[in-house]
Amino acid sequence: MSRVRKIVVAVCLAFLPALSHGQTCNVPARPQFAGHNFPLDNPPVSQPMTPVEAFPNLPNFNLPVFITYAPDGTNRLFVVEKIGRIWEFDNDPNTSTRNLFLDLIGIVDANASEMGLLGLAFDPHFTTNHYFYVNYTATGSACQGGVRCTKIARFTVPPATPNAADKTTELDLLEYQQPFDNHKAGMLAFGPDGFLWIAAGDGGSGGDPNGNAQNVNSLLGKLLRIDPSGDDFPNDPKRNYKIPPGNPYASGVGGAPEWWARGMRNPWRFSFDRLT
């Protein structure tokens, strides 16, 4: 299924409650997906669920927005707090100890509800290079041009202190300005292609007044894809990455080469299908 067809199908799904049986949002035929007709002829029956406190002995977290693990076989979990901290602890329901893995309070601008430390991704080669990446909003004084911005930055974990990153190792990979204080998205993840994918919101306000999401020259309102293993911009200290071949404007002609998909509102989280 093409990316265009997937987008059409997703939009159709969003409006299913208002459709009568058999309507398909002008999709010519019902595409087959995982053995089901789409839209679903017989939606699955929801099952009752009971919440369970996974780590009852840990202290409370302050505005947690994400949890992930390091690909190093240590079975540790990492919780991102919007205010600017990352905590590390053993994936054990009886654990009562957590370690402050990274503290960016005072660097991260979390003064609005959709700003702050928003994303975390570990390098696929973390066991050898000890790199991880974060997505956060920063104040104008820390941004190029003195304007509020989003930073995608890399940090290193010293082998001698595996439970604590070194804050002084920060390397800015990518930075883009933010016109308003909402719609920052924030997800980071490495895809099966080995590249770093970044969710960028449209920059905020209401109705995308600057038209960022459809502007091919803007990084806002996009799904970005970069290669942090190299540097195509050696003369620019704020762009420390390569452009993967296959991005729509990978050549740099006609639009920003970093983006993969456009027209996004506020893609807070995304994931890759582990089977396909």
Side-chain angles (χ1 to χ4, degrees), residues 145-198:
V147 180
R148 178 197 294 121
C149 69
T150 284
K151 285 179 178 283
I152 311 300
R154 188 189 79 192
F155 289 86
T156 303
V157 182
T161 59
N163 297 331
D166 184 350
K167 187 165 63 174
T168 67
T169 62
E170 181 174 10
L171 172 69
D172 288 345
L173 261 67
L174 173 63
E175 179 181 304
Y176 47 92
Q177 293 183 353
Q178 292 287 359
F180 303 101
D181 62 8
N182 61 327
H183 289 188
K184 305 301 166 234
M187 180 68 184
L188 292 179
F190 278 88
D193 52 12
F195 300 134
L196 181 61
W197 294 67
I198 305 160

Side-chain angles (χ1 to χ4, degrees), residues 90-254:
D90 290 336
N91 184 15
D92 179 347
N94 298 314
T95 188
S96 59
T97 303
R98 65 181 185 181
N99 300 296
L100 185 56
F101 185 68
L102 182 67
D103 187 353
L104 296 179
I105 291 179
I107 298 173
V108 169
D109 185 354
N111 291 324
S113 64
E114 297 180 20
M115 294 167 52
L117 180 58
L118 305 175
L120 165 66
F122 288 88
D123 194 284
H125 305 290
F126 178 71
T127 54
T128 54
N129 61 25
H130 312 291
Y131 294 157
F132 68 94
Y133 305 83
V134 296
N135 182 330
Y136 69 90
T137 51
T139 58
S141 60
C143 302
Q144 201 169 27
V147 180
R148 178 197 294 121
C149 69
T150 284
K151 285 179 178 283
I152 311 300
R154 188 189 79 192
F155 289 86
T156 303
V157 182
T161 59
N163 297 331
D166 184 350
K167 187 165 63 174
T168 67
T169 62
E170 181 174 10
L171 172 69
D172 288 345
L173 261 67
L174 173 63
E175 179 181 304
Y176 47 92
Q177 293 183 353
Q178 292 287 359
F180 303 101
D181 62 8
N182 61 327
H183 289 188
K184 305 301 166 234
M187 180 68 184
L188 292 179
F190 278 88
D193 52 12
F195 300 134
L196 181 61
W197 294 67
I198 305 160
D202 63 13
S205 190
D208 192 11
N210 297 332
N212 294 316
Q214 294 295 346
N215 181 352
V216 298
N217 295 300
S218 171
L219 299 187
L220 296 172
K222 309 292 192 299
L223 190 61
L224 311 178
R225 186 178 77 141
I226 63 173
D227 181 356
S229 69
D231 188 357
D232 284 341
F233 313 96
N235 297 320
D236 188 341
K238 294 295 184 179
R239 301 174 80 186
N240 293 291
Y241 54 89
K242 295 193 297 185
I243 300 298
N247 283 8
Y249 293 100
S251 65
V253 177

Side-chain angles (χ1 to χ4, degrees), residues 1 5 9 27 29-33 36-39:
M1 189 186 298
R5 175 62 60 82
V9 168
V27 177
R30 289 189 168 191
Q32 288 290 316
F33 180 73
H36 297 287
N37 284 324
F38 190 89

